[in-house]
Amino acid sequence: MDIEFSSEYKNLGLNIAFYRKKKGYSQQHFAELLNISESHVGGIEQGKHGSSLDLIWKMSRILDVSPDKLFIF
C-alpha cells in the first residue's frame, strides 16, 4: 500500500464501513460473507490495508451498492 494514497484508503474504508453498517452487518458477519478474517475487514475499514478489485466487487455485491459508490469521497 502506497503511503501517497493513505487518505484515499481511509475514505474507501469509511465508505465500506458506512454501507456495511447500513446493511446491519457486524464486521464479523461481513468477514464471513467475504471469506476473509475480521481483522482484515477492520484493517480495510481503517485504511490500513489495501484491497483487491475482486474483493471490492464482492463487497459491493454483498452491500448492494455499485462499486463506484465506494470510491465517492
Side-chain angles (χ1 to χ4, degrees):
M1 190 169 94
D2 194 326
I3 190 92
E4 178 182 355
F5 301 109
S6 63
S7 66
E8 286 86 351
Y9 281 106
K10 287 178 185 175
N11 287 327
L12 174 63
L14 288 172
N15 285 346
I16 291 167
F18 171 80
Y19 288 110
R20 174 183 59 77
K21 291 173 186 175
K22 189 174 179 180
K23 289 287 283 187
Y25 296 150
S26 66
Q27 279 188 347
Q28 180 181 2
H29 182 66
F30 191 46
E32 289 169 2
L33 294 171
L34 293 168
N35 199 31
I36 62 174
S37 71
E38 184 178 350
S39 64
H40 193 89
V41 169
I44 292 169
E45 289 185 355
Q46 294 170 18
K48 294 179 180 179
H49 299 299
S51 181
S52 69
L53 285 176
D54 290 342
L55 190 55
I56 294 291
W57 289 323
K58 192 172 184 180
M59 287 179 185
S60 71
R61 283 187 186 152
I62 291 168
L63 298 173
D64 295 322
V65 297
S66 60
D68 63 305
K69 290 215 183 236
L70 300 177
F71 291 95
I72 297 173
F73 305 143

